[in-house]
Amino acid sequence: MDDMNKLSNPQVTIQTIQKYNFHFQKKFGQNFLIDDHVIRKILAAAQITEKDTVVEIGPGIGTLTQYLAEAAGKVYAVEIDRQLLPILEDTLQEYENVTVVNQDILKCNISDMIGEGKTCKIVANLPYYITTPIIMGLLEGGVPAESITVMIQKEVAERMAAAPGTKIYGALSLAVQYYAETYLAANVPPNCFMPRPAVGSAVIRLTRREAPPVEVRDEKYMFRLIRASFNERRKTLVNSLRNEPSLGLDREKIEAALSEMGLSATVRGETLNLEQFARLSDLLSF
Ligand code: SAM
């Protein structure tokens, strides 16, 4: 399809919305893209080729989907809002490689949808209200996704990619970086969407690691330890951990572990990297 006739042209989006008397639903995080440069940046970051199967989360009226359909071999577009189905049928009618699935992505079994043994690339302009559950669900749930390239709130993207010792580094940075390599591909201002979101946005690509970058005996315990370490950022690591009853740790045990790692008893959680959290977890988890 000619770019002028695609939904990335704001006039085409307006006509489509009016034709179907569509009302944006805030509760579904509906902010549609109206800028083809941004869409091309998403496609370039996701490195989509015709060999790829793409799963798009939340196609909306099909703006990004039109481009994905032209670049990929097959596209599954999972949309929760039923009132968008007749619109998608219209805007995607010339693309035979697109299957629209009316489902909540948090309840969708992606492996079953794309077929046993197949892998996919996930691409989306995500509904911001459920960014973290979607991404952590995809990473932790063993979904066969080679990469996840998504538009999300800028601050959340920066937190995911943050390095130790920075103000924004935290449990989310460690959780994401345990499973994936992060790449911040672009910043996107509010005027690239209809309606404009109240926050800035960014495109981030998460490339799944073949294996975790650190070895740890009890992964679940390490993530509980990490969450507790960042619960109260102004506290020392010892105080944060000892205040978390579910970990069952006392000051002596934590200080002994830190000392064995060559760390001060007054160290703060935000200075530890993933390797150090893994080591600390191994020392404390028995
Ligand atoms: N992809 C379109 C675009 O870029 O213009 C729309 C993006 S809009 C930010 C997010 C989309 O996700 C909306 O169409 C919304 O209805 C859909 N959505 C919200 N929650 C969802 C969920 N739990 N599962 C699937 N889709 C969802």
Side-chain angles (χ1 to χ4, degrees):
M1 185 190 288
D2 199 298
D3 278 3
M4 281 306 291
N5 296 321
K6 287 197 174 102
L7 293 154
S8 54
N9 175 350
Q11 288 314 318
V12 179
T13 282
I14 290 168
Q15 281 162 16
T16 306
I17 282 167
Q18 285 174 346
K19 178 174 168 192
Y20 288 92
N21 193 22
F22 174 79
H23 295 285
F24 288 94
Q25 299 240 44
K26 245 193 170 169
K27 67 168 182 183
F28 288 143
Q30 291 176 341
N31 301 91
F32 299 162
L33 275 167
I34 45 163
D35 186 313
D36 70 327
H37 294 102
V38 172
I39 296 177
R40 290 190 191 288
K41 279 187 193 168
I42 297 174
L43 289 187
Q47 297 166 337
I48 303 298
T49 74
E50 58 195 17
K51 288 192 190 132
D52 290 317
T53 294
V54 169
V55 173
E56 186 192 4
I57 300 165
I61 56 174
T63 315
L64 180 56
T65 329
Q66 292 182 331
Y67 287 78
L68 290 170
E70 288 178 9
K74 172 76 197 167
V75 180
Y76 293 91
V78 182
E79 174 56 60
I80 196 170
D81 184 359
R82 208 187 290 186
Q83 67 161 333
L84 288 165
L85 300 182
I87 307 182
L88 287 166
E89 204 165 304
D90 179 0
T91 61
L92 301 175
Q93 60 179 316
E94 71 177 65
Y95 301 109
E96 284 176 3
N97 59 343
V98 180
T99 303
V100 174
V101 179
N102 181 211
Q103 228 183 332
D104 177 348
I105 191 65
L106 296 175
K107 296 185 184 144
C108 177
N109 185 326
I110 294 179
S111 309
D112 284 355
M113 183 175 73
I114 63 175
E116 191 75 21
K118 291 229 172 95
T119 62
C120 65
K121 289 180 176 167
I122 299 199
V123 183
N125 168 19
L126 280 184
Y128 294 175
Y129 73 107
I130 42 168
T131 298
T132 307
I134 291 178
I135 291 190
M136 291 319 299
L138 294 171
L139 292 174
E140 290 172 346
V143 172
E146 297 159 41
S147 62
I148 302 169
T149 306
V150 281
M151 174 91 70
I152 58 178
Q153 188 176 338
K154 182 168 179 273
E155 279 149 31
V156 180
E158 287 170 348
R159 283 197 350 245
M160 287 181 179
T166 58
K167 258 195 189 159
I168 53 172
Y169 175 70
L172 183 65
S173 327
L174 284 152
V176 167
Q177 291 170 32
Y178 182 73
Y179 294 103
E181 274 177 47
T182 62
Y183 165 64
L184 284 172
N187 285 332
V188 181
N191 62 6
C192 296
F193 302 84
M194 187 186 296
R196 295 178 183 205
V199 294
S201 303
V203 178
I204 188 169
R205 183 184 68 217
L206 310 175
T207 309
R208 186 181 274 285
R209 297 181 191 278
E210 300 262 320
V214 294
E215 269 184 41
V216 60
R217 206 174 34 231
D218 185 343
E219 216 175 78
K220 284 208 173 101
Y221 187 88
M222 178 179 75
F223 282 116
R224 273 164 54 206
L225 197 72
I226 287 173
R227 273 195 296 276
S229 303
F230 290 96
N231 266 350
E232 292 168 277
R233 292 187 79 99
R234 277 168 306 153
K235 289 207 163 138
T236 63
L237 183 59
V238 174
N239 282 334
S240 298
L241 295 183
R242 149 183 111 81
N243 284 344
E244 178 47 56
S246 74
L247 294 170
L249 296 170
D250 61 29
R251 176 180 288 281
E252 287 69 36
K253 191 167 178 184
I254 307 164
E255 285 185 356
L258 290 177
S259 158
E260 195 166 330
M261 291 172 64
L263 294 171
S264 145
T266 59
V267 74
R268 285 171 200 279
E270 66 251 35
T271 64
L272 269 64
N273 61 24
L274 188 54
E275 216 167 287
Q276 289 169 312
F277 273 114
R279 177 91 204 285
L280 187 62
S281 170
D282 282 354
L283 289 169
L284 295 176
S285 65
F286 62 92

